[in-house]
Amino acid sequence: MSAIYRREMRAYFTSVISYVFFAAFFAIEGLMFAALFQAGSTEVYRIPFMFPLYLTIFLIPLLTMRTISEDKRQKVDQVLLTAPVSVTSVIMGKFWACVSIYAIANAPLFIFQTIVSYYAASNWLQFLYSVLGTLLLGSTLIAIGIFVSSITESTALAAVLSIVANIVIMFISQIFQIIGIEWLTKITSAIALLDRFTSFSDSILKVEDIVYYITVIAVFVFLSVRSVEKRRWS
């Protein structure tokens, strides 16, 4: 898995994708912090729940669109499938590489929190809990994106399908609420990523929300493994 992880990290930092990703996140997070700081607010933990949350829906597919589809298009996947490494290790190596890039994009939050702590008292536990929620949500979208990438050879199609999947799974309860189907709204509120995310924004510790995100990640990683293994035996 470590070899796959290093390969993916090198690929990100030798392409323009990661730099576009970083530039977008750094710029938006910087603007959000500047607005909060000028307003005299110490609530750095709220930054991920503002515009960067919605930015994530469209930017994470940039990271995941090529994870497997590009390998399939260039026939590199045949080498990976015959290498002395399990498919699970391949998928997990790609997954952790994407998570690492996403974590780096959110690293400035720690700088902002440190600056605020220098000038005023701030709640670090509240901040760390919000960061945990941000990483869990991002990791879930990454797992979904990798699965989508595993079912197509087109990176562009993988990006589009990932964005659509992100929007649906994030706002599925709100979609049915707008349609006016009350019973489906109640059911889908239990699986909508955004509804689960509110406990982190409110700094309410809910173990079931953490378990939910980890479970969804595990499910989509498993589906990605099965998708790639299916290609091995086809």
Side-chain angles (χ1 to χ4, degrees):
M1 185 177 74
S2 60
I4 302 297
Y5 174 82
R6 292 193 298 270
R7 172 182 176 268
E8 292 298 311
M9 291 297 288
R10 283 196 300 270
Y12 281 124
F13 284 104
T14 54
S15 68
V16 71
I17 293 176
S18 60
Y19 298 102
V20 171
F21 190 81
F22 290 147
F25 262 86
F26 293 165
I28 297 300
E29 289 170 346
L31 290 173
M32 295 295 100
F33 174 68
L36 287 174
F37 195 75
Q38 289 178 358
S41 174
T42 62
E43 298 178 337
V44 175
Y45 73 93
R46 292 198 176 277
I47 292 179
F49 307 103
M50 297 163 72
F51 189 70
L53 168 63
Y54 302 99
L55 190 68
T56 299
I57 297 173
F58 297 96
L59 285 183
I60 279 185
L62 290 179
L63 295 181
T64 60
M65 65 181 184
R66 51 162 295 278
T67 47
I68 301 177
S69 60
E70 184 71 10
D71 289 345
K72 291 168 67 175
R73 187 177 65 84
Q74 296 182 351
K75 307 303 180 184
V76 179
D77 63 321
Q78 300 300 323
V79 177
L80 294 176
L81 291 175
T82 55
V85 59
S86 66
V87 175
T88 301
S89 295
V90 172
I91 299 299
M92 290 304 297
K94 292 175 178 290
F95 171 77
W96 286 118
C98 290
V99 171
S100 297
I101 296 297
Y102 181 69
I104 293 172
N106 285 280
L109 296 175
F110 286 89
I111 299 175
F112 301 154
Q113 178 68 11
T114 302
I115 293 173
V116 167
S117 298
Y118 180 79
Y119 290 100
S122 57
N123 192 328
W124 272 90
L125 285 178
Q126 190 178 42
F127 167 75
L128 291 175
Y129 188 58
S130 72
V131 171
L132 173 63
T134 302
L135 292 178
L136 284 173
L137 177 63
S139 298
T140 303
L141 296 180
I142 286 170
I144 294 171
I146 290 176
F147 169 67
V148 172
S149 180
S150 71
I151 61 177
T152 179
E153 294 185 4
S154 170
T155 55
L157 180 59
V160 173
L161 291 178
S162 294
I163 291 173
V164 173
N166 289 347
I167 293 174
V168 171
I169 199 167
M170 282 280 285
F171 304 105
I172 187 169
S173 63
Q174 286 83 354
I175 292 173
F176 282 110
Q177 186 176 11
I178 294 173
I179 295 174
I181 308 177
E182 186 176 350
W183 65 275
L184 275 178
T185 302
K186 293 180 179 179
I187 294 175
T188 54
S189 63
I191 62 173
L193 294 184
L194 187 61
D195 291 359
R196 292 279 183 170
F197 197 53
T198 55
S199 64
F200 295 95
S201 62
D202 296 334
S203 300
I204 301 174
L205 178 59
K206 289 186 178 180
V207 177
E208 61 266 28
D209 289 343
I210 298 175
V211 172
Y212 168 77
Y213 281 116
I214 294 174
T215 301
V216 175
I217 291 170
V219 167
F220 278 98
V221 167
F222 172 77
L223 291 175
S224 299
V225 171
R226 297 301 300 167
S227 177
V228 174
E229 284 184 339
K230 181 180 179 181
R231 181 174 175 83
R232 167 182 278 179
W233 303 112
S234 61

